[in-house]
C-alpha cells in the first residue's frame, strides 16, 4: 500500500502536529475496493490512497506525474495517441480509470487522454490492484484507479484561480466558480494545458537502411494545447434526496512538425480531439446505512486529422472492394474524421445493511458503444451492447475477520453470458498488523477496434495493423496476499500477487501472406501486425514499502518487482514460443523525504525531494526502453491567516540531474523527460460563507467511532 502510506507521510509533512497520531493513515475513508464506504483500516479489499494533502505538497502538474512519482507500480510512456499507462505488467486496455466512480471515456483501445482530468480539482486518488470485474465489469483486469474530485460544499460563494508556468512553454490554468444557496449548489470548472514540446534528439531510426537520419524534425513530445469547461449542478428537493446534472466540453490539438523526409518525419496534418459528456442522476438515502443511486451518462470522443497542407488521402469508402483506392484532396484547415466513439451507460445500484453483520450491494448496468471510423474500421460504423447484474456481500461475523464476496453476470450481444466472481478477506492481528488476501476473476470482451480495425501507418516503413473477427473474450485469475504493519510512525507493507490472463489479446506480427491480398498489393508493408489471442499470459511480482514519520519530517521508499510471461503461436515456424508483455520493467522504485514548518502562524514552508527509478523496459519490436532515475525538488509556500482569502506559491525543479533519453525516433524510450525543468505556481482562493452539513457525505469516521 505504497500510495496509502505516502498519503500519511504527506499529511504529516504538510500539516504536522506536536505529536504523531497513530490513526492518521487508518482513518482515511475509501470507497473503490468494495463500492461502499470504509475506513482504510477496515477495508477488506487492499486499497492504496494518495491523499489530497499529499498531492498539494507534491505539487504535480498532471495525473501522470502524480502516479508516476508517488507510487512504484506505474509506468507512463506518453505519445500523441495517449498516456500509455502500465500497472503491474498490464497496459491501458486492462486498467479501468474512474472519475468519481464513473468510467473515463476515451479511445476504445484503452489509450485514454488523461488531460481530461484537472489536477487542481483532485481531492484524492484510490488504487485497487487486480481484477475487479465482479464490481466494475470489463476493462478492470489489472486494477482500478479512481480519481475523486473535490466536493465544493461551501455555503455561499467560492472563487479560485491557479496559474502555473514552466520550462518549454508549459502553461497550466485552473479557474473555479462555485455557489451553494439553500437547495441548490453549482460548481463550474475551467482548465487549460499547453506545452511547446521538445526534441531530445534529431536522429531518426530508419529500418532497412544503413545510415539513420541525423537531422530529423520529429519531436520527442509535440506541441499541444487542450482546454475543458465542466459544470456540476446539484439540487436537494427534500431531505435525504439529492439530484444532479453535469456536463463537459473538451478540445485538444497536437501540432505535428512538417519535416523534409517523405516517409519519415513529414506530417501534413495535426491531430485534433473533440470530447463532450452529459450525465444526470441522483441518490436516495433511505436511512443511515441504506441508499439507492441512479446514474445515466453519455460520452463522446471524436478524433480528427486537421490538415496543414494540401494532401491526397485514399478514399476507402469508394473503393468498392477494389485493390486500388481513389484519392480525395484535402486543403489546409479542412478536417477528416478518424473516429467518433460514443457511449451511453445506465447504472442502478442499492446498498443495504442486513442482519448478522452483512452489507449487501446489488445493481444492474447497461452499456451501449457506438463507433464511426470511415478510414479505420471495415464498414465504417460498428456498435456493441453489454448488460450486467451484480451482487456483493460484506460480512463481519467472526472476530477480527472481514470477508467480501461478489459475483457479476455479464451479457454481450456477440459473446454471450459470463460469470465473474471475487472473494477478499482481511484478518486483524491486533492493531498494528493486518493480513489481506484476494482471489478474483476478470473478464474482457474484444473491443470494436480489436475486432474491426484496419490501419496503415508510415513509421520507418509501412506497417499494417488489422483487427480479427475470430477473437475470443479474455479471462483472468488474480491472487494476492499481503501484510501491513503500522506502529508509532513506522509503516511497512509487503504484497505478493499473481495474475494469469487467458486468451490475452495483443498485437502480433504475422507473415504478410496472411493479410488480405488487397492490402499487400496496395502497400507492400514492411510488417503486418494483427490483434490475436495469446494462448497464455501471466504477471507476478512483489510490492513493498517502508515509511517513517517523525514530527515535521517523513521519509520513505517503495519498491516493485515484476515479471511477465506469455505464450504465442509462431506462424513462421508453426510452434509456440515465449514472449514478454510490452513495456515490462523488472524493477521500479520511488523514494521521498519531506519537511514542513509553520512560522509564526502566518507562513508555512514545505520542502520535498522525490525520486523515481526504473530498469530497462522490454518490447517485442523497435527496441527496449532504457532504465532511468529522475529526482524532483518541490517547495510549497502558504501565506496568511485570512479564513476567506488564501494564497499559495509552489516552485520547484523537475529532473534535478538532467537525465534525457536520446534514443532515436522510431524506437522505444524509457522516459520522455526533456531534462531539467523549472516551474512556479500561484494560487488564490476566496470562499465566503460557512461549511454546510452535507447529508450525502456522512462522517464515516465519527459514525464508526460511535459504533465501536
Amino acid at each position: 500500500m505504497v500510495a496509502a502510506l505516502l498519503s500519511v507521510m504527506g499529511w504529516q509533512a504538510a500539516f504536522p502536529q506536536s505529536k504523531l497520531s497513530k490513526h492518521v493513515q487508518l482513518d482515511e475513508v475509501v470507497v473503490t475496493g468494495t463500492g461502499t464506504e470504509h475506513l482504510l483500516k477496515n477495508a477488506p479489499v487492499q486499497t492504496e490512497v494518495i491523499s489530497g494533502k499529499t498531492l498539494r505538497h507534491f505539487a504535480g502538474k498532471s495525473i501522470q506525474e502524480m502516479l508516476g512519482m508517488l507510487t512504484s507500480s506505474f509506468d507512463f510512456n506518453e505519445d500523441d495517441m495517449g498516456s500509455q499507462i502500465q500497472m503491474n505488467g498490464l497496459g491501458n486496455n486492462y486498467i479501468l480509470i474512474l472519475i468519481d466512480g464513473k468510467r473515463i471515456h476515451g479511445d476504445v483501445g484503452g489509450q485514454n487522454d488523461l488531460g481530461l482530468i484537472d489536477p487542481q480539482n483532485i481531492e484524492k486518488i484510490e488504487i485497487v490492484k487486480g481484477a475487479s470485474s465482479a464490481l466494475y465489469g470489463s476493462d478492470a483486469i489489472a486494477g482500478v484507479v479512481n480519481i475523486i474530485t473535490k466536493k465544493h460544499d461551501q455555503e455561499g460563494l467560492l472563487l479560485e484561480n491557479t496559474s502555473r508556468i514552466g520550462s518549454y512553454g508549459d502553461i497550466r490554468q485552473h479557474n473555479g466558480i462555485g455557489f451553494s444557496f439553500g437547495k441548490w449548489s453549482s460548481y463550474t470548472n475551467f482548465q487549460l494545458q499547453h506545452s511547446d514540446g521538445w526534441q531530445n534528439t534529431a536522429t531518426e531510426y530508419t529500418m532497412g537502411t544503413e545510415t539513420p537520419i541525423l537531422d530529423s524534425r520529429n519531436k520527442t513530445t509535440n506541441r499541444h494545447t487542450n482546454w475543458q469547461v465542466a459544470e456540476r449542478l446539484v439540487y436537494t428537493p427534500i431531505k435525504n434526496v439529492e439530484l444532479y446534472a453535469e456536463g463537459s466540453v473538451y478540445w485538444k490539438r497536437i501540432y505535428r512538425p512538417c519535416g523534409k523526409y517523405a516517409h519519415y518525419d513529414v506530417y501534413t496534418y495535426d491531430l485534433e480531439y473533440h470530447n463532450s459528456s452529459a450525465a444526470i442522476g441522483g441518490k436516495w438515502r433511505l436511512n443511515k446505512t441504506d441508499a439507492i443511486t441512479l446514474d445515466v451518462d453519455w460520452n463522446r470522443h471524436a478524433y480528427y486529422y486537421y490538415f496543414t497542407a494540401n494532401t491526397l488521402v485514399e478514399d476507402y469508402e469508394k473503393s468498392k472492394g477494389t485493390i486500388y483506392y481513389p484519392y480525395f484532396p484535402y486543403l489546409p484547415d479542412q478536417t477528416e474524421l478518424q473516429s467518433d466513439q460514443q457511449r451511453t451507460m445506465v447504472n442502478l445500484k442499492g446498498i443495504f445493511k442486513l442482519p448478522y453483520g452483512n452489507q449487501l450491494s446489488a445493481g444492474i448496468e447497461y452499456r451501449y458503444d457506438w463507433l464511426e471510423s470511415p478510414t479505420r474500421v471495415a464498414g465504417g460504423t460498428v456498435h456493441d451492447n453489454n448488460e450486467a447484474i451484480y451482487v456483493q456481500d460484506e460480512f463481519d461475523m467472526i472476530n477480527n475477520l472481514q470477508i467480501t464476496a461478489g459475483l457479476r453476470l455479464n451479457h454481450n450481444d456477440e459473446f454471450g453470458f459470463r460469470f465473474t466472481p471475487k472473494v477478499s478477506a482481511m484478518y486483524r492481528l491486533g492493531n498494528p498488523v493486518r493480513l489481506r488476501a484476494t482471489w478474483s476473476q476478470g473478464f474482457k470482451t474484444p473491443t470494436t477496434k480489436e475486432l474491426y480495425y484496419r490501419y496503415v501507418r508510415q513509421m520507418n516503413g509501412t506497417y499494417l495493423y488489422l483487427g480479427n473477427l475470430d477473437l475470443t473474450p479474455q479471462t483472468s485469475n488474480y491472487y494476492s496476499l499481503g501484510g501491513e504493519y503500522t506502529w508509532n510512525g513506522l509503516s511497512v507493507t509487503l504484497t505478493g500477487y499473481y495474475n494469469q490472463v487467458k486468451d490475452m489479446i495483443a498485437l502480433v506480427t504475422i507473415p504478410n501472406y496472411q493479410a488480405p491480398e488487397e492490402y499487400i498489393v496496395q502497400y507492400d508493408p514492411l510488417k503486418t501486425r494483427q490483434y490475436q489471442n495469446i494462448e497464455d499470459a501471466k504477471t507476478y511480482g512483489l510490492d513493498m514499502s517502508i515509511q517513517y514519520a517523525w514530527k515535521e519530517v517523513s521519509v520513505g521508499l517503495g519498491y516493485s518487482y515484476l515479471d511477465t510471461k506469455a505464450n504465442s503461436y509462431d506462424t513462421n515456424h508453426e510452434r509456440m514460443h515465449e514472449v514478454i508483455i510490452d513495456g515490462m520493467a523488472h524493477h521500479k522504485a520511488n523514494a521521498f523525504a519531506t519537511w514542513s514548518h509553520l512560522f509564526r502562524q502566518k507562513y508555512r514552508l514545505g520542502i520535498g525531494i522525490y525520486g523515481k527509478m526504473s530498469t530497462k523496459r522490454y518490447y517485442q519490436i523497435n527496441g527496449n526502453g532504457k532504465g532511468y532515475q529522475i529526482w524532483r525538488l518541490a517547495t510549497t509556500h502558504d501565506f496568511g491567516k485570512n479564513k476567506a482569502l488564501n494564497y499559495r506559491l509552489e516552485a520547484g525543479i523537475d529532473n534535478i540531474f538532467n537525465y534525457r533519453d536520446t534514443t532515436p525516433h522510431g524506437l522505444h524510450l524509457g522516459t520522455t523527460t526533456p531534462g531539467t525543468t523549472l516551474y512556479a505556481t500561484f494560487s488564490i482562493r476566496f470562499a465566503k460563507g460557512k461549511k454546510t452539513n452535507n447529508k450525502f457525505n456522512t462522517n464515516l469516521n465519527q459514525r464508526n467511532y460511535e459504533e465501536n
Side-chain angles (χ1 to χ4, degrees):
M1 300 181 71
V2 179
L5 296 167
L6 281 170
S7 69
V8 181
M9 309 311 166
W11 196 96
Q12 292 287 359
F15 296 92
Q17 301 175 1
S18 57
K19 62 179 182 179
L20 292 172
S21 169
K22 62 183 179 181
H23 295 297
V24 169
Q25 173 195 356
L26 301 181
D27 291 345
E28 185 78 54
V29 178
V30 297
V31 297
T32 307
T34 62
T36 57
E37 292 179 332
H38 283 278
L39 295 180
L40 184 58
K41 66 178 180 181
N42 295 328
V45 177
Q46 187 162 347
T47 306
E48 300 180 5
V49 179
I50 307 177
S51 74
K53 295 186 175 82
T54 299
L55 296 174
R56 289 191 292 274
H57 194 74
F58 177 72
K61 68 179 180 181
S62 66
I63 186 69
Q64 297 95 311
E65 193 173 71
M66 295 169 185
L67 290 174
M69 294 292 289
L70 293 177
T71 74
S72 59
S73 302
F74 289 89
D75 268 315
F76 292 89
N77 197 5
E78 296 182 69
D79 59 21
D80 287 348
M81 302 309 299
S83 299
Q84 306 296 340
I85 183 175
Q86 188 182 78
M87 179 171 72
N88 286 359
L90 295 175
N92 296 308
N93 282 348
Y94 306 97
I95 303 169
L96 179 60
I97 300 177
L98 308 174
I99 301 178
D100 292 327
K102 298 179 182 178
R103 291 169 174 260
I104 190 173
H105 184 55
D107 180 69
V108 291
Q111 298 167 353
N112 292 312
D113 182 1
L114 297 184
L116 288 162
I117 303 167
D118 184 354
Q120 296 298 326
N121 199 36
I122 299 175
E123 178 62 33
K124 64 178 178 178
I125 303 170
E126 297 181 3
I127 304 162
V128 176
K129 297 178 183 176
S132 297
S133 295
L135 188 61
Y136 293 105
S138 187
D139 304 332
I141 287 181
V144 179
V145 179
N146 191 8
I147 292 98
I148 298 174
T149 61
K150 297 175 182 177
K151 302 302 181 287
H152 305 277
D153 54 358
Q154 185 81 26
E155 180 75 24
L157 181 65
L158 168 68
L159 301 172
E160 53 187 9
N161 176 85
T162 299
S163 301
R164 174 184 174 123
I165 59 173
S167 304
Y168 298 97
D170 187 74
I171 299 173
R172 311 278 164 152
Q173 179 65 37
H174 162 83
N175 294 95
I177 302 175
F179 69 85
S180 179
F181 297 105
K183 297 180 179 182
W184 293 90
S185 65
S186 168
Y187 183 72
T188 305
N189 178 77
F190 169 80
Q191 66 150 328
L192 170 72
Q193 301 178 11
H194 173 82
S195 172
D196 288 341
W198 56 86
Q199 185 186 57
N200 288 343
T201 179
T203 303
E204 184 92 18
Y205 171 72
T206 55
M207 183 176 290
T209 63
E210 296 182 358
T211 305
I213 295 171
L214 301 179
D215 58 349
S216 169
R217 298 186 186 181
N218 267 331
K219 289 189 174 183
T220 305
T221 296
N222 285 326
R223 179 184 173 216
H224 59 271
T225 302
N226 62 273
W227 57 260
Q228 182 184 51
V229 178
E231 163 68 19
R232 179 176 173 87
L233 184 66
V234 178
Y235 175 57
T236 308
I238 60 174
K239 183 180 180 181
N240 294 333
V241 174
E242 178 185 82
L243 305 175
Y244 76 87
E246 61 184 19
S248 68
V249 177
Y250 174 87
W251 177 91
K252 181 175 183 178
R253 178 91 168 268
I254 299 175
Y255 303 89
R256 310 181 86 184
C258 184
K260 61 182 181 179
Y261 298 103
H263 296 290
Y264 302 109
D265 67 346
V266 164
Y267 295 107
T268 59
Y269 54 87
D270 295 335
L271 306 180
E272 192 167 290
Y273 300 83
H274 298 174
N275 283 30
S276 53
S277 68
I280 58 173
K283 183 172 185 177
W284 179 20
R285 188 174 289 280
L286 304 174
N287 51 49
K288 291 183 178 180
T289 58
D290 301 349
I292 297 175
T293 61
L294 173 66
D295 298 288
V296 180
D297 61 271
W298 169 86
N299 293 269
R300 181 188 185 222
H301 173 81
Y303 160 44
Y304 298 85
Y305 284 169
Y306 183 95
F307 290 94
T308 55
N310 294 336
T311 306
L312 292 177
V313 176
E314 293 167 326
D315 193 330
Y316 295 89
E317 292 303 302
K318 295 181 180 179
S319 64
K320 300 187 183 302
T322 65
I323 61 176
Y324 297 105
Y325 300 113
Y327 285 84
F328 183 84
Y330 281 92
L331 303 177
D333 298 328
Q334 288 186 318
T335 60
E336 180 191 43
L337 176 67
Q338 300 302 302
S339 68
D340 183 355
Q341 304 170 47
Q342 299 184 36
R343 184 194 66 202
T344 301
M345 291 194 68
V346 181
N347 195 337
L348 177 64
K349 177 181 177 181
I351 301 173
F352 309 98
K353 191 175 181 69
L354 303 179
Y356 306 107
N358 287 259
Q359 181 169 258
L360 182 70
S361 301
I364 58 176
E365 183 179 285
Y366 171 75
R367 173 176 171 176
Y368 174 77
D369 288 280
W370 179 84
L371 168 65
E372 178 185 3
S373 182
T375 64
R376 296 169 183 256
V377 169
T381 61
V382 291
H383 64 87
D384 190 37
N385 280 285
N386 283 278
E387 305 87 26
I389 58 174
Y390 57 93
V391 63
Q392 174 185 269
D393 189 21
E394 305 171 55
F395 47 97
D396 188 6
M397 295 181 289
I398 304 174
N399 287 340
N400 297 325
L401 177 64
Q402 290 179 279
I403 298 176
T404 298
L407 181 66
R408 170 181 285 250
L409 174 62
N410 189 84
H411 175 259
N412 180 271
D413 286 354
E414 183 71 23
F415 299 101
F417 291 91
R418 176 74 187 189
F419 282 103
T420 51
K422 178 175 183 175
V423 178
S424 296
M426 183 191 72
Y427 186 73
R428 293 183 291 271
L429 292 174
N431 283 328
V433 179
R434 286 168 172 77
L435 303 177
R436 290 183 175 88
T438 293
W439 167 70
S440 58
Q441 286 191 346
F443 175 67
K444 178 174 172 58
T445 57
T447 66
T448 50
K449 176 179 179 179
E450 292 163 343
L451 291 168
Y452 301 100
Y453 204 51
R454 57 172 190 187
Y455 178 53
V456 178
R457 182 179 182 185
Q458 299 293 339
M459 182 183 63
N460 304 320
T462 302
Y463 285 72
L464 177 61
Y465 294 86
L466 296 174
N468 186 353
L469 292 175
D470 295 326
L471 293 174
T472 60
Q474 304 164 89
T475 59
S476 71
N477 279 282
Y478 174 82
Y479 307 87
S480 72
L481 179 64
E484 175 185 60
Y485 176 83
T486 57
W487 179 77
N488 200 26
L490 174 66
S491 297
V492 180
T493 65
L494 185 65
T495 302
Y497 63 89
Y498 174 81
N499 201 356
Q500 184 176 30
V501 183
K502 183 180 179 181
D503 295 323
M504 182 178 184
I505 296 175
L507 275 171
V508 175
T509 301
I510 63 173
N512 284 343
Y513 66 80
Q514 293 186 2
E517 181 182 359
E518 60 266 27
Y519 289 104
I520 304 303
V521 173
Q522 179 72 7
Y523 295 104
D524 188 23
L526 181 66
K527 284 189 177 181
T528 300
R529 307 203 77 198
Q530 185 181 46
Y531 288 103
Q532 292 189 358
N533 289 108
I534 295 176
E535 294 295 324
D536 183 34
K538 62 187 73 172
T539 69
Y540 51 92
L542 185 71
D543 291 336
M544 181 182 68
S545 174
I546 302 175
Q547 322 280 333
Y548 182 69
W550 180 75
K551 293 185 178 180
E552 299 176 335
V553 176
S554 61
V555 295
L557 174 67
Y559 168 74
S560 179
Y561 169 77
L562 169 69
D563 201 359
T564 68
K565 294 181 180 179
N567 294 315
S568 181
Y569 186 72
D570 185 344
T571 54
N572 286 318
H573 301 92
E574 297 185 346
R575 61 179 174 82
M576 298 297 295
H577 71 121
E578 189 173 278
V579 298
I580 50 128
I581 297 177
D582 281 350
M584 180 204 72
H586 283 303
H587 308 280
K588 298 189 292 292
N590 71 299
F592 75 94
T594 63
W595 173 81
S596 178
H597 185 72
L598 180 63
F599 296 89
R600 296 186 178 182
Q601 303 299 314
K602 293 183 178 181
Y603 166 64
R604 181 178 296 280
L605 171 65
I607 300 175
I609 183 83
Y610 302 86
K612 172 75 173 184
M613 293 73 73
S614 176
T615 57
K616 178 168 61 176
R617 301 182 67 185
Y618 293 89
Y619 294 88
Q620 295 182 44
I621 64 171
N622 295 331
N624 298 317
K626 295 178 180 178
Y628 64 88
Q629 61 172 307
I630 296 173
W631 292 87
R632 165 191 173 92
L633 174 66
T635 69
T636 59
H637 313 262
D638 294 285
F639 302 93
K641 293 180 62 178
N642 191 316
K643 293 182 179 180
L645 194 60
N646 298 290
Y647 304 92
R648 180 179 176 89
L649 176 66
E650 302 167 354
I653 306 173
D654 284 321
N655 198 346
I656 299 172
F657 301 108
N658 197 31
Y659 174 78
R660 294 191 305 161
D661 189 338
T662 57
T663 300
H665 299 292
L667 300 177
H668 287 293
L669 302 175
T671 175
T672 59
T673 175
T676 300
T677 59
L678 306 176
Y679 72 89
T681 304
F682 179 73
S683 300
I684 181 170
R685 186 176 189 271
F686 172 80
K688 186 65 174 179
K690 62 180 180 179
K691 197 76 170 178
T692 61
N693 182 18
N694 192 327
K695 297 182 288 297
F696 297 91
N697 293 287
T698 306
N699 189 333
L700 183 64
N701 296 26
Q702 183 62 35
R703 189 171 76 235
N704 277 9
Y705 288 141
E706 290 173 354
E707 292 175 354
N708 295 330

